[in-house]
Amino acid sequence: MEVVEFTDPFCPWAWGSEPVLRALRRSLGGAAAHRRVFGILFDEDEEPAPDPDAEAAWYGEFVARVSGHTGAPRPARLRWVAASSWPASLAAAAAEAQGPRVAERVLRRLRESMFVRGEPADTPERIAAALRGVPGLDAAALAAAAASAPVRERVARDRAETRAPRPEVVGLRGPGPHPGGAKEIAAGHRYALPTLLFRGPAGCRVVPGWRTAAEYLAAARAVCPQLPAAPDDRPSAAELLRRHRSLTAPELPDGPPPGAVAVETPGGPLHLSPEEAAVSPLLSAS
């Protein structure tokens, strides 16, 4: 089975969905190949806002509303709206060559730059600062790969794939807060973010928008009826924090484990492992 995730480093719904998507990957384990598609929420050919401060205030209010639904951290103040999703998407795509753990951590740091610190890492310099101290990361190799033609071509394919949504999500309507119908754009439609496609022996299912773990697993079983049962044992909070290095409140129903370092935000805390807290830019001066 293949799971295709349409996302963007600066999408607030994708940020809020991370706890459920992490749990989905644990449930599926080695039964599924996972592929991310970077959809480019903020394109590089868009006209700049005439009043950047007003745009940032407006978008910050939107992020706050999404945070109210998802329980994800949000910044006290969004200092600017990302000029483009391209630099962060290129970096996240390039990180995949350094292995899944590095790739997960890079994408997480990029999201945290916007949704915790309020300073989206939308230039190579800001990306380098946001990724300082990521364990196992070869920063020089990442920067070179992100600037390379093959990685740009890959993200361009991702962008195009996002703008060719399956017909079942075009015109889709449903109850809120985020049913996930394809978004109308000048050139047609694109997938709402996040959207997941499940492809398996029994066909394809598309699961768009803000969804539960049960809905994702139901789609997985629909396309792969022989899918093994998900493991019953959920990792402890301490194990989750060791594995992911940062967790939000929805991932910690019983509270953070001892030693976790909280970064407080108006949308709730982000909990860092002691190792992550020692190197995280979130705890350094702006």
Side-chain angles (χ1 to χ4, degrees), residues 29 44 49 73 107 121 156 248:
E44 58 190 357
L107 181 55
T248 59

Side-chain angles (χ1 to χ4, degrees), residues 2-100:
E2 181 188 38
V3 181
V4 182
E5 176 191 344
F6 292 86
T7 192
D8 185 279
F10 301 139
C11 172
W13 288 108
W15 162 242
S17 296
E18 279 210 336
V20 173
L21 297 180
R22 282 175 166 178
L24 175 69
R25 288 191 287 273
R26 290 195 302 270
S27 296
L28 296 180
H34 189 91
R35 177 167 68 91
R36 279 203 177 95
V37 176
F38 294 100
I40 307 297
L41 183 61
F42 301 105
D43 219 336
E44 58 190 357
D45 60 356
E46 296 176 1
E47 290 291 329
D51 186 339
D53 290 340
E55 182 193 36
W58 175 85
Y59 200 75
E61 291 175 1
F62 171 68
V63 169
R65 291 195 298 273
V66 173
S67 171
H69 291 294
T70 66
R74 65 175 178 87
R77 176 192 169 203
L78 181 62
R79 298 184 57 134
W80 60 82
V81 175
S84 169
S85 294
W86 274 93
S89 296
L90 291 167
E96 293 174 359
Q98 298 191 33

Side-chain angles (χ1 to χ4, degrees), residues 68-167:
H69 291 294
T70 66
R74 65 175 178 87
R77 176 192 169 203
L78 181 62
R79 298 184 57 134
W80 60 82
V81 175
S84 169
S85 294
W86 274 93
S89 296
L90 291 167
E96 293 174 359
Q98 298 191 33
R101 285 189 178 273
V102 169
E104 290 294 321
R105 194 65 220 135
V106 164
L107 181 55
R108 180 72 170 197
R109 285 281 196 93
L110 295 171
R111 295 197 200 279
E112 290 169 352
S113 74
M114 175 161 175
F115 298 112
V116 180
R117 190 161 182 157
E119 300 176 355
D122 57 356
T123 67
E125 295 76 20
R126 290 168 178 165
I127 289 167
L131 301 184
R132 187 183 69 246
V134 169
L137 174 66
D138 184 331
L142 178 77
S148 70
V151 171
R152 185 170 183 89
E153 289 165 4
R154 176 263 169 94
V155 174
R157 291 193 300 270
D158 285 2
R159 179 188 179 280
E161 187 176 357
T162 305
R163 284 151 181 78
R166 289 178 63 89

